[in-house]
Amino acid sequence: MDPSIVPEPAREAEIIENISEVLEIVKNKSTKNARLVLVSKTKPVSDIIAALKTNQLHYGENYIPNEIRWHYIGRLQSNKCKILASIPNLWAVETIDSAEKAKKMNDAWSAAGHGRPLNIFVQVNTSNEPNKGGVEQDLLESTCISIKDSCPDLNLLGLMTIGSVESSGMIPNPDFLKMLKLRDECSKALGSELELSMGMSNDYEHALEVGSNNVRVGSKIFGSRALKQ
Ligand SMILES: *Cc1c(COP(=O)(O)O)cnc(C)c1O
């Protein structure tokens, strides 16, 4: 849920008032400290965001939109694989950063029994920043081969990078150029053509021009975010 979706003020006030009325009744009438489940089904996300302002965290839905294709783009911790694998419409994990984690993701996805492979991108640390996720460039090819050999329930769709802030201001972007080269080398080694996931709000146009297959655009569409997510 994106907190930068801003509900219309009158609607927000209405929802908040309705919740506080119901909460008041629940509080006064219940002898069990009853839980209030807000049934948000069929309502727009902006209504839920308005409701969240009351700090109510229980929501009822009878319909999980399965046409949404989720891309996991956060740092992947091994202990998150199982939770991720339980998401029915998880479409891709873009942040695989080692063969070991790929194997964990493969096994969790396999155990969850989706009956289709999970797309993954191997994240590459193109800028060699120590605090940035991703496989080191000289380990990339062997990592991809290892994943292809040992992860039958993963579909290695391509390579992903979050380029450095400095590179994102440059044309040509040196991180993108590295990715083009790495993609060609790995595709050759694997015998199948890999995609590239690169380009964010500041540099997606350039990324598209040099051949990115997948751009990840947030603030350009939804507005700026608070610094720490
Ligand atoms: C829709 C629904 C509700 C909420 O019904 P309202 O009359 O709108 O409060 C509650 N429980 C279930 C199972 C529902 O499908």
Side-chain angles (χ1 to χ4, degrees), residues 66 68-72 76-94 96 100-120 147 150-156:
N66 59 10
I68 294 181
R69 299 175 180 191
W70 294 109
H71 291 231
Y72 184 71
L76 183 61
Q77 280 140 350
S78 300
N79 60 2
K80 294 266 176 68
C81 291
K82 215 175 144 192
I83 296 170
L84 275 177
S86 72
I87 300 171
N89 42 354
L90 185 67
W91 193 81
V93 174
E94 296 211 15
I96 296 287
E100 291 71 35
K101 276 185 212 169
K103 186 73 174 88
K104 282 226 161 74
M105 199 63 237
N106 177 81
D107 295 350
W109 188 254
S110 174
H114 294 277
R116 63 171 168 99
L118 172 66
N119 297 310
I120 59 153
I147 291 172
S150 57
C151 301
D153 289 300
L154 301 183
N155 175 38
L156 177 49

Side-chain angles (χ1 to χ4, degrees), residues 73 94-96 121-129 132-135 137 140 158-164 167 173-180 182 195-200 203 207 212 214-216:
I73 58 170
E94 296 211 15
T95 44
I96 296 287
F121 290 84
V122 173
Q123 184 178 350
V124 190
N125 188 346
T126 40
S127 47
N128 298 314
E129 291 165 278
K132 192 152 267 175
V135 178
Q137 288 155 65
L140 181 64
L159 308 177
M160 177 272 213
T161 190
I162 304 171
S164 70
S167 303
N173 179 323
D175 290 334
F176 293 173
L177 296 184
K178 274 183 208 164
M179 288 293 276
L180 291 168
L182 291 167
E195 290 191 4
L196 287 178
S197 171
M198 59 187 196
M200 299 165 49
D203 53 20
S212 176
N214 191 89
V215 291
R216 309 178 308 271

